[in-house]
Amino acid sequence: DEADVHAFTRMTCRLIENMRALEKPIVAALNGTTCGAGAVMAVAADIRIACDSAKIAFLFTKVGLSGADMGAAWLLPRIVGLGHASELLLEGEFISAARAREIGLYNHVVPDGEALAVALDHAKRLAAGPTMGVRVTKRMLNAEASMTLEAALQAEGWVQAECMAHP
């Protein structure tokens, strides 16, 4: 019924909200086909590693739904630009890993079978580093997305001073 549909869509949106709010980096390994909600989950990750044969689609419009789902219309333009995001969300077509890397959607494309190992390597390096700096950087990346440059500079000055005071 309608209440269940609304509860479901709110739950999927909370997933993405929690992924972005988590002050630990999320590294996604993409092997094979990623589409729909999985594609938005990939976009919500901080770093995306895909294998050569991976393909991705935001196919919501293909089934009569809005391409603006689970934060896709907010996240995707910030990663690939409005033009590429518009094409991906309006057309809902699959694109190759090479194309996704070309437009900045994937950070790295690696040979088939290596995506998980490379993603784990990234995650381990991030986990071994200074966690406060990583945590604050992710927090500021999220916060500054809606700030003016002046506000961002003030916030960065304050948070950097806080980091410098931390052992």
Side-chain angles (χ1 to χ4, degrees):
D1 66 9
E2 188 175 329
D4 288 339
V5 171
H6 284 193
F8 175 76
T9 58
R10 284 190 302 274
M11 182 264 307
T12 60
C13 288
R14 278 193 309 274
L15 168 66
I16 301 305
E17 182 179 14
N18 287 330
M19 288 177 70
R20 294 307 314 152
L22 180 68
E23 289 191 345
K24 295 179 182 177
I26 298 172
V27 182
L30 307 168
N31 290 300
T33 301
T34 304
C35 59
V40 183
M41 290 167 57
V43 169
D46 300 293
I47 299 172
R48 288 160 297 286
I49 314 292
C51 67
D52 283 324
S53 63
K55 60 183 184 174
I56 190 167
F58 300 83
L59 46 68
F60 303 105
T61 58
K62 292 285 190 189
V63 295
L65 299 174
S66 169
D69 189 27
M70 298 172 62
W74 190 91
L75 291 164
L76 199 55
R78 287 166 167 78
I79 297 169
V80 301
L82 183 59
H84 293 303
S86 296
E87 182 179 17
L88 291 169
L89 295 176
L90 291 169
E91 294 183 1
E93 298 292 336
F94 278 97
I95 61 170
S96 69
R99 178 68 177 141
R101 173 69 177 103
E102 180 183 295
I103 65 173
L105 181 55
Y106 293 164
N107 298 86
H108 304 279
V109 175
V110 299
D112 286 352
E114 294 183 21
L116 182 57
V118 172
L120 285 172
D121 183 56
H122 277 269
K124 287 175 184 175
R125 285 196 319 266
L126 288 165
T131 56
M132 181 175 181
V134 169
R135 182 178 74 240
V136 170
T137 299
K138 182 169 178 178
R139 181 188 315 148
M140 296 307 291
L141 282 165
N142 285 325
E144 291 184 41
S146 60
M147 290 182 186
T148 64
L149 176 59
E150 181 179 274
L153 291 170
Q154 289 176 0
E156 286 184 8
W158 177 83
V159 77
Q160 196 69 304
E162 290 294 312
C163 287
M164 288 177 180
H166 190 276

